[in-house]
Amino acid sequence: MVLDLGEQPPANSFIDQSELNSTEPKFPLRLFWCPNCFLVQLLDIVDKEYLFKNYLYMTSASKPIVEHFTKYAKEIYEEFLQGKDDPFVVEIGSNDGSLLAEFKKLGTSILGIEPATNLAKLANQSNITTTNTFFSSKVGKEIAKSRNASLVVANNVIGHVEDLQDLMEGIKILIGENGVFIFEVPYLVDLIKKLEFDTIYHEHLSYFSLLPIVNLTNRYGLEVFNVRKQSVHGGTIRVFISQKNNFKAKDSVKHFLDEEQRFGLSDIEIYRIFSVKVAEFKRKLKTELEIIKKENKSIFGYGAPAKGNVLLNYCDIDTSFLDYVIDTTPLKQGKYTPGTHIPIFPPEKILDKGAGHIALLLAWNYESEILEKEKQFREKGGKFLIPIPTPIIK
Ligand code: DWN
């Protein structure tokens, strides 16, 4: 074990007013590192039905992510699908269909696989054909019976999957001889470098660097032929996989593996140092908040991301510090943060706010977009407290 964030409620288990006095399920949140394959992972597994059947995170609630996916679809279409006869794109964990809608606009056939019943319904209502189920080798085989996928995409999903072996088996069948599998996952090097400990929560079972992905992929006669760094979600890698020898492997694969070796991911020491820094972070943030409270300023949470709930619960930040949280997601508004019970309001709540108000930026991964968007709040004297990687007021 390399880090223990204590017993926490699942990061997306927002609660209704009627549940404020009932006990909330909490589970151990502990990070482990495998000295053989170097995969950083959780071993305390929370049932996936419980976590994902009704899911409140919606891709479309974050404009920067929708913009990222529009670019993503165009890039990948031009690189792999243009000119193909009726290319077929399957997305695993397709959420509300935001990315598939972009591929549909480009003229491909599409199919979403989404376990959250509420999100699959929304996607189907927007004519994004979505099957409400978890992906598995069985589902992969079923789809491949009628046709192979030219492209399978999975963004911020693979880390959520418990049975990685079954996943790879299903992917191998689904992409057939010529398809490609492209996925994005948060990058472990960024998590460590930028102290993004709040991205550790029960939904995320694996915290990937490239080496364990290469080891897993090779076991299925598949090959990582390219890797590209992305800046979203605090830093992710986009990994390109196909059947062995379909594509000449780019230098990027060796570059990432060498960098990871140099960074020391295969040595337990780097994780011990990380764990000490996380404890230091808690002290620093609480001191900062206590100073602000002493100055009689009002503090609120900006964004109600899953990671924000990990930070609030780990640092014991509740309504004694934050008066409320604002968030653009309709499904989260009117609810309360899990464990800390802070009320969530629509963003309009801060339209009249300015001097004497501090926004704790829980959605720090959108810092540039949000500080730009809230120019008026800042011109009126409102300030942002950016918590990660170290608390700073802007
Ligand atoms: O892996 C996952 C990532 C990709 O998305 C999932 N397990 C769950 C989720 O994590 P998250 O909730 O930390 O993701 P975000 O995209 O960082 O969440 C941002 C939150 O902030 C959303 O609830 C939307 C909200 N928001 C806002 O209120 N104002 C976002 C923006 C950009 C804004 O301007």
Side-chain angles (χ1 to χ4, degrees):
M1 183 173 77
V2 291
L3 179 67
D4 185 351
L5 294 174
E7 298 261 323
Q8 293 218 13
N12 267 313
S13 56
F14 295 91
I15 60 172
D16 293 322
Q17 187 155 25
S18 57
E19 298 165 299
L20 281 175
N21 297 321
S22 28
T23 45
E24 282 173 84
K26 291 187 178 181
F27 307 92
L29 187 52
R30 303 179 297 169
L31 197 66
F32 293 81
W33 169 76
C34 173
N36 303 317
C37 76
F38 309 130
L39 180 65
V40 175
Q41 55 198 289
L42 301 189
L43 297 185
D44 304 295
I45 312 278
V46 177
D47 175 52
K48 63 177 186 276
E49 299 281 336
Y50 176 74
L51 288 178
F52 299 111
K53 267 333 253 180
N54 182 51
Y55 200 53
L56 301 187
Y57 171 78
M58 287 172 71
T59 308
S60 53
S62 298
K63 224 161 115 272
I65 286 296
V66 175
E67 284 158 9
H68 170 72
F69 282 156
T70 307
K71 234 172 88 228
Y72 185 136
K74 192 167 169 298
E75 234 174 78
I76 301 302
Y77 178 79
E78 285 165 4
E79 196 169 344
F80 295 100
L81 304 177
Q82 200 147 32
K84 278 197 182 332
D85 172 27
D86 183 25
F88 178 37
V89 179
V90 176
E91 183 176 10
I92 300 172
S94 49
N95 198 275
D96 56 12
S98 296
L99 176 60
L100 284 176
E102 297 306 321
F103 279 109
K104 188 172 179 180
K105 280 181 208 157
L106 291 162
T108 72
S109 301
I110 56 162
L111 175 66
I113 313 282
E114 174 50 53
T117 307
N118 63 316
L119 296 177
K121 195 157 153 259
L122 283 176
N124 282 310
Q125 281 165 354
S126 332
N127 296 320
I128 304 295
T129 313
T130 302
T131 309
N132 180 206
T133 181
F134 288 96
F135 182 74
S136 65
S137 56
K138 188 163 163 283
V139 169
K141 274 185 202 116
E142 210 39 51
I143 300 169
K145 268 189 204 148
S146 46
R147 61 181 299 195
N148 288 117
S150 328
L151 167 69
V152 177
V153 285
N155 297 307
N156 305 302
V157 168
I158 306 305
H160 301 55
V161 173
E162 184 181 348
D163 188 342
L164 290 169
Q165 289 69 20
D166 183 63
L167 167 83
M168 293 313 283
E169 221 177 279
I171 293 291
K172 183 172 178 68
I173 296 160
L174 183 51
I175 63 173
E177 280 316 302
N178 306 307
V180 288
F181 173 41
I182 301 175
F183 65 86
E184 283 186 11
V185 283
Y187 193 37
L188 178 63
V189 172
D190 287 302
L191 190 158
I192 293 172
K193 267 185 183 163
K194 297 186 273 184
L195 207 69
E196 297 170 351
F197 76 91
D198 53 350
T199 60
I200 297 165
Y201 44 92
H202 299 103
E203 295 179 15
H204 296 166
L205 298 176
S206 304
Y207 298 80
F208 286 114
S209 51
L210 186 63
L211 184 57
I213 294 174
V214 168
N215 292 338
L216 176 69
T217 306
N218 290 344
R219 261 187 258 160
Y220 290 85
L222 298 168
E223 182 177 36
V224 174
F225 66 87
N226 196 1
V227 199
R228 282 190 200 134
K229 195 70 178 39
Q230 305 295 317
S231 59
V232 289
H233 289 302
T236 62
I237 49 173
R238 181 179 296 170
V239 182
F240 298 71
I241 289 175
S242 72
Q243 301 294 352
K244 264 198 182 350
N245 306 321
N246 270 8
F247 295 85
K248 185 178 174 315
K250 304 269 190 207
D251 296 345
S252 59
V253 179
K254 188 176 174 316
H255 170 74
F256 270 83
L257 294 175
D258 292 347
E259 283 303 302
E260 288 174 5
Q261 187 61 30
R262 254 193 294 280
F263 186 64
L265 288 183
S266 43
D267 181 341
I268 187 99
E269 199 44 35
I270 198 163
Y271 304 100
R272 288 203 203 293
I273 296 165
F274 176 75
S275 171
V276 167
K277 286 183 177 170
V278 171
E280 268 165 32
F281 169 89
K282 177 172 179 175
R283 279 193 292 279
K284 271 192 234 164
L285 182 60
K286 293 300 282 284
T287 307
E288 194 61 53
L289 290 173
E290 263 132 30
I291 293 168
I292 294 170
K293 286 310 275 182
K294 279 209 186 76
E295 293 165 352
N296 280 324
K297 291 188 176 141
S298 156
I299 320 172
F300 62 93
Y302 195 108
K307 60 173 115 14
N309 293 316
V310 173
L311 186 144
L312 295 175
N313 279 298
Y314 175 66
C315 297
D316 304 317
I317 300 170
D318 56 16
T319 46
S320 57
F321 285 101
L322 300 191
D323 298 336
Y324 53 87
V325 171
I326 61 168
D327 193 283
T328 49
T329 315
L331 294 173
K332 296 179 183 178
Q333 292 162 4
K335 290 187 182 290
Y336 292 75
T337 53
T340 49
H341 299 180
I342 304 168
I344 302 169
F345 291 90
E348 291 67 32
K349 185 159 176 76
I350 66 160
L351 284 179
D352 60 341
K353 304 287 188 295
H357 290 268
I358 308 274
L360 174 59
L361 186 57
L362 297 170
W364 47 260
N365 44 317
Y366 300 116
E367 177 184 338
S368 53
E369 296 92 344
I370 289 174
L371 264 61
E372 175 55 33
K373 177 172 136 181
E374 298 301 348
K375 231 178 356 212
Q376 202 193 23
F377 168 74
R378 300 175 72 210
E379 279 162 3
K380 290 192 291 183
K383 296 274 184 216
F384 274 88
L385 171 51
I386 321 289
I388 297 284
T390 184
I392 180 167
I393 293 191
K394 287 187 177 179

